[in-house]
Amino acid sequence: MQILKLGGSVITHKDEYFSPHTENIKRLAQEISATKKPLIIVHGAGSFGHPVAKKYNISDGLKTSEQLVGFSETHQSMTRLNQIIVDTLLEAGVPAFGISASSMLVTKNRRLVDIDMSIIKGCLKLGLVPVMYGDAVLDTEQGFAILSGDQLIVRLAIDLEAERIIFGSDVDGIYTANPKLDPNAKLIELVSLSHITAEVGGATNTDVTGGMLGKLKEAEEAVEAGAEVVFLNANAENRVKTALLGEKVMGTLLTL
Ligand code: IP8
């Protein structure tokens, strides 16, 4: 089983609120459909979840009752994006099935503790492709929190013994600096966990869950558990498809 992250910068126009990148979503649905392999898709929030979560300061937890509307609005914006993605996958013939993280798990101080994998396992057994997302979730200590898709993926990969995690973003992989800001930034083809302190560029937009460095830190555990972790540019045609087929692709491979 493989896990594919579709980053918010790929599936939404990040600088325009609530704007899905329809063209990319359609192309990626075709690429996924062409591979026909056991898969879980987790998508990010982009211009759907992040601006709402930021406006109401959801990641720091419940402080005032006015935030409750914002908590639910954040979740609603994500279910809308999920619906667009699942509908597009279905049109491409992928047996996609949308699942909300907030209905099956809680966090403790923003970290995922217990998650019941039975629904996801059941979906995979039937041949369905679960489509999950970073979500506004209940938190045992701070009332609520934002669970990033990246944290969710790593947990899924460990518990379900995923063969490979593919992080699709809008850059070619992990760079020595943020490639959108620094013209001297260089792509690192192989990142070893022992050198993870290397300078890695942050996100350029409103990202409440940590950008590229956050992804890298989350991914450590999955590599230690034996999953192959690849970072690639999902905006470039056929890279996701190539990686899903297990073939060599331009990007960054994370190793021990
Ligand atoms: O884009 C964040 O998920 P991510 C989820 O995977 C929300 O970090 C609701 C902002």
Side-chain angles (χ1 to χ4, degrees):
M1 189 271 295
Q2 304 186 86
I3 303 177
L4 171 65
K5 167 84 187 270
L6 296 177
S9 53
V10 177
I11 53 168
T12 73
H13 296 284
K14 265 199 151 179
D15 41 14
E16 204 180 312
Y17 285 177
F18 310 119
S19 169
H21 199 310
T22 313
E23 198 186 310
N24 272 354
I25 300 172
K26 280 192 182 159
R27 175 183 50 79
L28 287 161
Q30 292 298 336
E31 290 188 28
I32 292 161
S33 169
T35 63
K36 308 229 171 344
K37 297 218 172 189
L39 179 67
I40 298 176
I41 298 171
V42 177
H43 62 80
S47 63
F48 280 73
H50 284 291
V52 197
K54 197 170 183 190
K55 178 175 167 201
Y56 292 97
N57 198 16
I58 302 304
S59 38
D60 288 342
L62 178 66
K63 296 197 170 84
T64 67
S65 59
E66 285 80 58
Q67 284 175 295
L68 290 172
V69 165
F71 172 68
S72 186
E73 269 180 25
T74 307
H75 170 70
Q76 284 299 97
S77 72
M78 290 309 297
T79 62
R80 282 201 296 277
L81 179 58
N82 184 254
Q83 207 163 2
I84 294 168
I85 291 170
V86 172
D87 282 345
T88 312
L89 286 161
L90 292 174
E91 276 160 27
V94 178
F97 188 71
I99 302 177
S100 302
S102 52
S103 300
M104 56 188 291
L105 60 87
V106 292
T107 53
K108 183 176 183 185
N109 277 326
R110 305 183 201 189
R111 298 305 296 177
L112 209 172
V113 266
D114 284 323
I115 168 166
D116 176 2
M117 293 286 176
S118 56
I119 304 287
I120 300 168
K121 281 186 183 159
C123 286
L124 290 169
K125 204 166 162 198
L126 290 180
L128 289 165
V129 174
V131 185
M132 302 186 71
Y133 47 94
D135 203 357
V137 299
L138 296 184
D139 187 287
T140 55
E141 306 301 304
Q142 54 172 48
F144 49 58
I146 296 296
L147 175 75
S148 76
D150 300 334
Q151 197 189 142
L152 176 63
I153 282 176
V154 170
R155 187 56 177 273
L156 293 171
I158 294 168
D159 288 7
L160 302 173
E161 294 175 7
E163 176 193 353
R164 182 177 295 111
I165 306 177
I166 300 160
F167 283 99
S169 71
D170 62 346
V171 289
D172 286 341
I174 306 290
Y175 281 78
T176 50
N178 187 335
K180 289 177 191 160
L181 303 175
D182 184 347
N184 296 318
K186 287 194 178 58
L187 180 70
I188 317 170
E189 284 186 25
L190 206 65
V191 172
S192 138
L193 286 182
S194 47
H195 293 96
I196 210 148
T197 49
E199 276 292 300
V200 174
T204 40
N205 300 73
T206 317
D207 189 331
V208 294
T209 50
M212 205 48 116
L213 192 56
K215 282 186 213 318
L216 205 52
K217 289 205 173 125
E218 292 293 352
E220 263 189 73
E221 272 185 73
V223 178
E224 279 160 5
E228 184 180 296
V229 176
V230 185
F231 294 85
L232 54 72
N233 191 338
N235 278 338
E237 223 168 291
N238 286 328
R239 286 205 196 149
V240 163
K241 181 175 158 190
T242 307
L244 283 173
L245 292 170
E247 294 164 9
K248 195 174 160 30
V249 66
M250 179 173 183
T252 300
L253 186 67
L254 196 56
T255 64
L256 287 173

